[in-house]
Amino acid sequence: VTQRLGQLSFLLILVGLALVGFLSAEGGTPTLAFKITDGAGSATLTGPAHMRGGLVNVKLTNTGKASHSAQLILVKGAMVKGSEHTVGAAVKLLTSHPKKIPVWLRFLGGVGPTPPGQSNVATINLTGGQYVVADLSNASSKLVTTTVTIEPGNPGPLPKTSASVTGATGPKGSTDHYQWKLSGLKAGTNRITFDSEGKKSIHQLVAVRLKGSPSLARLKKGLKSKSTPSFVDTSAPPTGTAALDGDNTHIEVASLRLAAGTYAFYCPLTDRKDGKPHFLEGMLTTLALR
Ligand SMILES: [Cu+2]
């Protein structure tokens, strides 16, 4: 009997250990990891071909010499047989830097501009489907992409953050269509909850450190020009989020590294039906960070 009890407790310990292992594996959020490197005028973005979705950390490690990003773009229709909306068609279209982004390409966040030698993580609930992952940090160079198939997984709660960035509709009575609502940002590394409100909107936060205190009119004029405006302090690399389509289910937690100083925060994107860049429609604001 004693031997039996011994065997039984040994078995129970084994079951217990297995349970602990199972629970800790469940508790850790899986990471969808991408790497980007550059040299001789071209860059290479690599990552897994498949992964389960739901709550995931999207990580970009930049071992290149320039700033890079990893934008997740869901290709709606890519899983439908006979659809023209394939991953290949999406890459071809994105390579042409289209002014109007069609609705079958859904921008679902990812990692924003990441300086050389650094890595950056965003936490997202990813829906299943086929995705193009694109480095959109440099509009003038050749588009660098990879693709990943996300299998449907379990969504989970996003981590709580002390700072938030919301692309919101304009204030009542204003002619501006949109506005930024920024809360809790400080100098240093900010974990932020980034949300694009409104079903049809698409927003991306870009932060540039300013030299002097340019007027709003000068900021607008400078951001419209193709070259880097003289009020941009280039000693602090531009930072920001990935682009996020508006929908309540599309929220991400991302990192913003901001050294002390005064910043212009703006959205460089236009509406899907074309139109003005959003920084001319209310999404341009300045903030001093200490
Ligand atoms: Cu916008």
Side-chain angles (χ1 to χ4, degrees):
V1 176
T2 329
Q3 200 187 355
R4 272 224 168 151
L5 271 176
Q7 278 176 347
L8 191 67
S9 50
F10 181 62
L11 204 70
L12 281 173
I13 287 165
L14 274 185
V15 169
L17 282 175
L19 258 176
V20 167
F22 175 72
L23 288 175
S24 56
E26 284 289 286
T29 306
T31 298
L32 177 57
F34 297 99
K35 282 196 171 93
I36 193 157
T37 188
D38 58 49
S42 70
T44 315
L45 179 62
T46 52
H50 289 268
M51 181 153 160
R52 184 160 301 282
L55 189 69
V56 296
N57 288 321
V58 180
K59 185 177 182 184
L60 178 68
T61 305
N62 180 5
T63 58
K65 291 181 179 68
S67 194
H68 293 290
S69 67
Q71 173 71 49
L72 297 175
I73 304 158
L74 173 67
V75 184
K76 270 195 138 177
M79 301 293 227
V80 181
K81 220 180 162 190
S83 168
E84 291 168 20
H85 300 153
T86 60
V87 164
V91 171
K92 205 173 157 193
L93 182 73
L94 290 163
T95 303
S96 71
H97 297 294
K99 231 186 148 204
K100 293 182 199 179
I101 298 164
V103 288
W104 55 276
L105 294 178
R106 308 308 296 171
F107 283 62
L108 300 192
V111 178
T114 304
Q118 292 190 17
S119 64
N120 205 343
V121 177
T123 309
I124 315 178
N125 276 305
L126 271 188
T127 42
Q130 288 192 348
Y131 286 74
V132 172
V133 185
D135 172 19
L136 299 181
S137 63
N138 190 348
S140 60
S141 63
K142 192 176 167 285
L143 188 76
V144 178
T145 62
T146 186
T147 58
V148 61
T149 302
I150 300 294
E151 282 121 37
N154 296 325
L158 289 170
K160 292 264 177 291
T161 63
S162 54
S164 67
V165 170
T166 304
T169 51
K172 271 217 170 94
S174 162
T175 51
D176 286 331
H177 283 126
Y178 307 107
Q179 64 176 320
W180 283 120
K181 287 184 177 169
L182 307 174
S183 154
L185 292 177
K186 56 177 180 20
T189 299
N190 296 269
R191 280 304 269 174
I192 58 158
T193 301
F194 176 38
D195 188 5
S196 280
E197 287 181 352
K199 258 205 147 65
K200 288 184 176 168
S201 63
I202 176 168
H203 301 303
Q204 176 188 19
L205 183 83
V206 177
V208 288
R209 195 161 71 173
L210 298 175
K211 286 193 285 195
S213 40
S215 66
L216 202 60
R218 210 181 133 216
L219 283 172
K220 285 179 180 175
K221 201 175 165 215
L223 293 175
K224 270 200 285 185
S225 74
K226 288 224 164 79
S227 51
T228 305
S230 59
F231 53 72
V232 172
D233 178 0
T234 48
S235 70
T239 185
T241 64
L244 198 59
D245 265 303
D247 190 327
N248 286 341
T249 57
H250 303 151
I251 299 171
E252 73 167 358
V253 166
S255 280
L256 277 183
R257 292 190 186 109
L258 302 162
T262 301
Y263 285 80
F265 293 95
Y266 68 99
C267 175
L269 305 178
T270 58
D271 280 0
R272 285 181 177 278
K273 286 184 182 164
D274 210 359
K276 292 180 191 172
H278 290 170
F279 65 78
L280 297 178
E281 297 200 282
M283 300 192 97
L284 171 61
T285 186
T286 59
L287 189 64
L289 301 176
R290 272 178 280 260

